[in-house]
Amino acid sequence: MWPVDPEDFVSLTTPPENASRDDAWFFLKTPQGLVCLTEQGIPRPVTGDELRWLDIEIQAEHYLGRFRDRCVYAIEARGTLPEGYSAAGLRDWLGRVEPSVFYLAGRAHQVLDWHKTHRFCGRCGVEMEDHPADRAKLCPSCNLICYPRLSPSIIVLITKGQEMLLARNAQWPTNMFSTLAGFVEPGESIEQTVHREVLEEVGLKVKNLQYLGSQSWPFPNSLMLGFHAEYDSGEIVCQDEEIAEAHWFTPDDMPNIPPKTAISRWLIDDFINQSSGD
Ligand SMILES: [Zn+2]
């Protein structure tokens, strides 16, 4: 699950000349969710050929780039879908399609959301225009440029010998334990965020941070940066209203943990594999 082949996708803002729309993929977002056709239980986006026969009103279209030699578009649309088509939230795609297709759906979702929420300049109120070269919006009056919004956050597994610290978030409805996470603040390095979040959430100091990898998490626009960190000092003190409880666990005595689609799980599995000498 960790890596997605970086060569799967080439990000572009304009389609190549003579590009075929017929076999392109269209991530079609309607008020009901992302439109999909289901083949053998696996959802897929609509092709250009299928799109032509749909009785829908297109409100915005963005070219996203090329996915394995296939052009990919994101479309905001309204209308009634014929039989055989369904619309599902992005979360319903998670775990049902291969990871690179999920991240593509997440990309479409985020670009469309950004387009919808950045129609007017935040500084002078004039209607924004598309930037001539980049995926950005440009104010024709005051030249403000707005790029799609991303919210970097850290996610960290704290380890102590064979043990790992997992916490239950006070807001979660289920009895699930996971790694600690938090958003990067302006002016911070991601390493500073790790130290600050760990101290705020469980009152511990950590050392020897090790960056393992990242995950795009489009709910709504996070970029999760994953770390392992070793326990340094302190006693667990849970942050009120944020962390309900936090404990040290060993691989042979684990609580409910997140599914394999989540970076928190990859961090946990990596540590367990390392401890078992894999
Ligand atoms: Zn402006």
Side-chain angles (χ1 to χ4, degrees):
M1 188 76 194
W2 266 121
V4 167
D5 186 347
E7 292 188 6
D8 266 355
F9 186 74
V10 181
S11 178
L12 299 163
T13 51
T14 43
E17 269 183 55
N18 307 322
S20 157
R21 277 174 78 94
D22 278 1
D23 50 353
W25 267 357
F26 289 81
F27 286 93
L28 208 60
K29 190 163 167 262
T30 66
Q32 290 76 37
L34 278 181
V35 174
C36 55
L37 281 149
T38 304
E39 283 175 346
Q40 294 167 347
I42 301 173
R44 69 154 171 84
V46 173
T47 65
D49 190 37
E50 290 155 353
L51 178 70
R52 209 176 325 150
W53 303 102
L54 289 180
D55 182 22
I56 52 158
E57 179 199 339
I58 294 179
Q59 295 174 315
E61 178 178 302
H62 301 265
Y63 181 65
L64 298 182
R66 223 172 48 235
F67 177 69
R68 297 176 191 158
D69 294 328
R70 186 194 283 274
C71 288
V72 181
Y73 296 81
I75 282 184
E76 179 95 42
R78 274 177 199 284
T80 315
L81 297 172
E83 207 173 308
Y85 291 80
S86 59
L90 198 51
R91 279 187 194 276
D92 294 314
W93 288 60
L94 185 61
R96 290 177 68 201
V97 295
E98 60 174 308
S100 47
V101 174
F102 170 72
Y103 296 123
L104 204 52
R107 185 187 287 258
H109 216 269
Q110 290 178 84
V111 167
L112 290 169
D113 268 358
W114 162 71
H115 174 75
K116 211 173 182 176
T117 54
H118 290 77
R119 288 169 50 214
F120 298 95
C121 176
R123 187 158 57 195
C124 76
V126 162
E127 194 166 349
M128 298 290 263
E129 293 175 352
D130 288 336
H131 190 282
D134 297 337
R135 186 163 327 273
K137 292 189 177 290
L138 176 66
C139 173
S141 172
C142 76
N143 292 325
L144 181 74
I145 297 177
C146 289
Y147 294 92
R149 184 171 138 199
L150 283 175
S151 304
S153 56
I154 62 89
I155 181 153
V156 56
L157 179 71
I158 306 168
T159 65
K160 186 167 75 173
Q162 297 295 305
E163 295 179 314
M164 58 200 113
L165 185 89
L166 298 173
R168 187 167 68 80
N169 192 301
Q171 316 296 329
W172 291 343
T174 55
N175 186 29
M176 189 171 68
F177 283 76
S178 187
T179 50
L180 303 178
F183 287 106
V184 180
E185 291 186 351
E188 265 182 346
S189 69
I190 53 172
E191 292 82 1
Q192 282 177 305
T193 312
V194 173
H195 289 287
R196 177 181 54 76
E197 282 290 339
V198 170
L199 194 61
E200 282 176 8
E201 294 195 349
V202 292
L204 300 181
K205 292 201 165 180
V206 289
K207 61 184 178 183
N208 298 335
L209 307 191
Q210 187 196 355
Y211 171 72
L212 274 92
S214 63
Q215 182 183 32
S216 164
W217 192 244
F219 305 108
N221 49 32
S222 289
L223 172 64
M224 316 280 285
L225 304 148
F227 287 84
H228 282 175
E230 288 174 24
Y231 167 83
D232 183 27
S233 60
E235 295 294 325
I236 297 173
V237 180
C238 294
Q239 186 179 25
D240 286 348
E241 292 170 12
E242 182 83 15
I243 305 292
E245 52 181 324
H247 308 286
W248 295 102
F249 294 93
T250 56
D252 52 10
D253 179 27
M254 295 289 284
N256 274 338
I257 54 173
K260 286 187 181 293
T261 49
I263 187 170
S264 49
R265 175 61 175 270
W266 312 344
L267 293 169
I268 293 168
D269 286 352
D270 250 30
F271 177 68
I272 293 177
N273 289 338
Q274 280 175 32
S275 323
S276 67
D278 244 18

